[in-house]
Amino acid sequence: MSLLEADLKYIWHPAQQMKDAEVFPPVVIDHGKGCYLYDIDGKEYIDIISSWWCNLLGHCNDEINAAIKDQLDKLEHVIFANFSHRPAIELCQELLPLLPEGLKHFNFTDNGSSSVECALKMAFQYQYQSGHPERQRFMCLSESYHGETIGALSVGSMDLYARIYKPMMMNNIHFDGLDCYRCPYGRTRETCDCECFVGAEKAFAAYGKETAALIVEPILQGAAGMRIYPPEYLRRLRRLCDDYGVLLIDDEVAAGFGRTGKMFAIEHAGVSPDILCTSKGLTGGYLPMSLTITTEAIYQAFYDDFKTHKAFVHSHTYAGNPLACRAALAVLHIIKRDDILKKAAEKSIYLHEKLDAALGSHSHVGEIRHIGLINAIELVEDKKSKRAFDPEKRIGWHIFRKAMDLGLVLRPIGDVIYFNPPLTIDEPTMDEAVRRCRDAVHAVLGND
C-alpha cells in the first residue's frame, strides 16, 4: 500500500469534503525549507498561505530547530500546576514589553480555540466575581470566526462552520458590521466614516447590561475572506465597551506577530484590550501553543484565599510546554534581532504592486485588498456590480487545484484567494508566486 493509499484509507482531513479526494487527492509532503514544501516525488510548492497562517519565519528555520533540539535534551514537558520552568518565564519577560499597554498576566493554553475558550470563561467568571452575575452573554461581529470548539464557535458568525451545531451553542449576540468591499452605505475605503457602527451601538443599547465581553478580530476578519476594516471602528468598540462595563477580548490568533504590519493588529487602532488571545505565529508554526493574556484588574478578581473558591480552575495538559516555549523565544529573538517587521513592511509594498499589476485589471477580480504581507483577491462574476459567483461553481476551489498543479499552495476562502506568506519571503519567491497565481486564475477564468 502506498503512502497516499494509506492516507485515504485511514485519515480524515480537516475542513474538507473527503469525497473531493477522489478527484483532488492530498499531497504527501516529505520536507520543507523556507517558503517551500516538497512532496514525496520531489515536486516543489510555494507555501504562500504559511500552512494556515502559522508558519511565520519559514519551514525548518535553523535557529528555531536548534532551540527545540537543545530544549529536548533538558526537559520535554512538566505539569504546569505548581511547577514552572525557565523557557515559560523568559517568554513572558520577553513578550511583555511588546504587548498592548496594561496586559501583564499570561495563561498558557494549547491552540487558538483553547485560548478563546479560556478568555470567555475568564471574562464570565470575572464579571461574576466583580458583582455582575447578570453579565452572562457575549457579543461578536457578523462574519466573525474565533475557532472550532463549542464556546469559540458560539462567538463566531459564519454559518459554514456553525449552522449544524447551533442547538449545542451558547445564545450570544451577533451584530452586523463589516464589509468594506460591499459597503451597504455606498462608501469606499477612502470615504468611510464607519456608518456601519450603528449595528454595534444598537446591540450595546439593547444587550450591553447583560454582556460579559465583546470578542473581536482586530482590523482583519480572516476566515470571512481576509476582510480589512478601519482602525476607527475598533476605537469606537473600545469606547462602547468602557461605557457599558463590557470587557474587550482581542483575538490575535491569526493577526498577531506581524501579520498586519504591527506586532499585534490592535496597535493599528492605538487601543488596548482587556484580554488578548494569540497563537499560530507565536511558535513560528512549529508547535501548538497559545496564550491568553490579561490585565492586573482581571487577575486580582481571582486572587483570594482558597476558601472563597475564586481561583480560575481551567487547565490543559500541555499548558506551558517547554519545547513550544523555546520555539517562541527563538521566534521573538529573530524578529527583534533581524528587524523582521520593518523588512516585511518593505516587502509588503513590493508584493501588492506585483499582484495588482498581474491581476488587478482582470474582469473577475473585484478587489485586491491588503494589509502587511496579506493580500486577498476577491473573485466576482461581475466586477461593476460586485456580484459574486454562484457558490456551486466553486471557482476558488478550481483555482486552488490548478495552482497546486503549478506548485503554489493557494487554499481559498470561498471565492477569495489570498497570500499570507512567511514574513521572511524574498522577492524572487514573491515574483514566482505571483506568476503561478496569475496562471492559475487565467486557466480557470481566462485572461481578460
Side-chain angles (χ1 to χ4, degrees), residues 257-268:
F257 290 88
R259 287 298 185 188
T260 68
K262 303 283 188 182
M263 188 65 176
F264 294 101
I266 200 168
E267 295 175 43
H268 288 281

Side-chain angles (χ1 to χ4, degrees), residues 1-63:
M1 185 184 297
S2 71
L3 286 172
L4 180 56
E5 289 171 335
D7 177 284
L8 293 173
K9 184 174 181 179
Y10 301 120
I11 296 179
W12 193 345
H13 288 273
Q16 69 180 77
Q17 170 52 256
M18 288 305 297
K19 196 175 191 308
D20 282 343
E22 294 177 7
V23 295
F24 189 22
V27 174
V28 182
I29 293 298
D30 178 74
H31 64 282
K33 188 65 179 175
C35 294
Y36 293 87
L37 296 167
Y38 301 87
D39 69 18
I40 54 176
D41 297 316
K43 182 177 177 178
E44 166 198 286
Y45 301 83
I46 301 174
D47 186 3
I48 208 65
I49 64 164
S50 298
S51 289
W52 259 341
W53 323 348
C54 69
N55 187 267
L56 197 70
L57 302 174
H59 294 282
C60 289
N61 181 287
D62 291 341
E63 287 190 60

Side-chain angles (χ1 to χ4, degrees), residues 137-365:
R137 302 179 71 187
F138 295 90
M139 286 192 194
C140 57
L141 283 69
S142 60
E143 301 303 308
S144 59
Y145 175 84
H146 299 286
E148 299 285 358
T149 50
I150 293 300
L153 205 60
S154 296
V155 289
S157 297
M158 298 191 67
D159 277 352
L160 172 65
Y161 303 100
R163 183 188 299 114
I164 196 170
Y165 305 111
K166 284 185 177 178
M168 301 171 61
M169 289 159 53
M170 298 185 294
N171 180 24
N172 290 320
I173 301 140
H174 305 247
F175 57 84
D176 291 335
L178 306 157
D179 188 351
C180 295
Y181 175 56
R182 295 182 176 88
C183 177
Y185 296 89
R187 296 284 192 164
T188 65
R189 296 187 187 276
E190 293 72 30
T191 63
C192 172
D193 193 30
C194 293
E195 286 85 352
C196 61
F197 195 71
V198 66
E201 292 173 327
K202 289 179 179 178
F204 271 80
Y207 305 109
K209 292 182 180 180
E210 61 189 87
T211 299
L214 162 72
I215 185 167
V216 62
E217 296 165 273
I219 304 300
L220 175 75
Q221 289 189 296
M226 299 295 180
R227 289 185 177 182
I228 301 165
Y229 64 92
E232 177 59 22
Y233 192 97
L234 198 53
R235 285 190 284 269
R236 294 186 189 185
L237 283 179
R238 174 72 272 184
R239 290 195 292 269
L240 261 185
C241 287
D242 290 341
D243 290 345
Y244 282 87
V246 171
L247 298 181
L248 177 61
I249 301 172
D250 174 18
D251 180 353
E252 298 267 0
V253 170
F257 290 88
R259 287 298 185 188
T260 68
K262 303 283 188 182
M263 188 65 176
F264 294 101
I266 200 168
E267 295 175 43
H268 288 281
V271 298
S272 292
D274 300 292
I275 303 172
L276 183 147
C277 303
T278 192
S279 186
K280 289 190 183 289
L282 172 63
T283 67
Y286 267 71
L287 290 161
M289 186 172 75
S290 57
L291 291 168
T292 306
I293 312 169
T294 193
T295 62
E296 182 69 25
I298 291 177
Y299 178 79
Q300 287 298 329
F302 294 80
Y303 194 88
D304 209 337
D305 294 330
F306 175 81
K307 64 183 179 182
T308 65
H309 301 292
K310 287 186 176 181
F312 189 46
V313 188
H314 178 93
S315 62
H316 291 269
T317 302
Y318 289 99
N321 177 262
L323 298 172
C325 289
R326 278 297 298 276
L329 279 167
V331 167
L332 288 179
H333 175 70
I334 294 167
I335 286 175
K336 288 189 281 187
R337 184 199 65 202
D338 296 347
D339 211 359
I340 293 292
L341 298 193
K342 181 180 178 181
K343 292 176 181 177
E346 296 166 357
K347 295 173 186 176
S348 71
I349 298 170
Y350 181 88
L351 177 58
H352 181 69
E353 287 177 349
K354 288 290 183 177
L355 274 171
D356 192 55
L359 288 168
S361 62
H362 194 284
S363 61
H364 291 297
V365 172

